[in-house]
Amino acid sequence: MLYMILGHDAPDSLDKRKATRPAHVARLLRLKDEGRLVLAGPRPAIDAADPGPAGFVGSLIVAEFPDLAAARAWADADPYVAAGIYSHIDVTPFLHTLP
């Protein structure tokens, strides 16, 4: 089943986000290589592709996991969690309807 992982950035975490991004992306690429990643990306704090110093408010990931517990465990092991970038994460089932 698919699950939505919605990470919420802690205030003033942009520098930590930039430093930790390679490890975060490496995990996403493993999901992609396994054919389990539907989409992933950051959520800019302002209406701009490059938010500059405004930074980000979090990230959205939609991926396949065996169950909610596995999705939660994967999300909790994210380098952004360990680095204190995410203040919290929401993990919920997701039904891909369109397109």
Side-chain angles (χ1 to χ4, degrees), residues 42-58:
R43 299 182 299 127
I46 60 173
D47 188 10
D50 180 359
F56 301 91
V57 296

Side-chain angles (χ1 to χ4, degrees), residues 82-98:
I85 295 157
Y86 289 156
S87 63
H88 65 285
I89 301 173
D90 299 318
V91 180
T92 61
F94 181 81
L95 297 176
H96 188 177
T97 305
L98 293 170

Side-chain angles (χ1 to χ4, degrees), residues 20-94:
T20 310
R21 186 173 187 275
H24 171 77
V25 170
R27 293 180 81 234
L28 293 170
L29 290 174
R30 283 194 296 277
L31 280 181
K32 179 182 174 277
D33 291 346
E34 295 167 2
R36 297 170 42 205
L37 183 64
V38 174
L39 64 89
R43 299 182 299 127
I46 60 173
D47 188 10
D50 180 359
F56 301 91
V57 296
S59 303
L60 171 66
I61 300 164
V62 177
E64 184 178 346
F65 293 92
D67 53 39
L68 182 58
R72 169 53 73 180
W74 187 90
D76 287 343
D78 195 290
Y80 281 2
V81 172
I85 295 157
Y86 289 156
S87 63
H88 65 285
I89 301 173
D90 299 318
V91 180
T92 61
F94 181 81

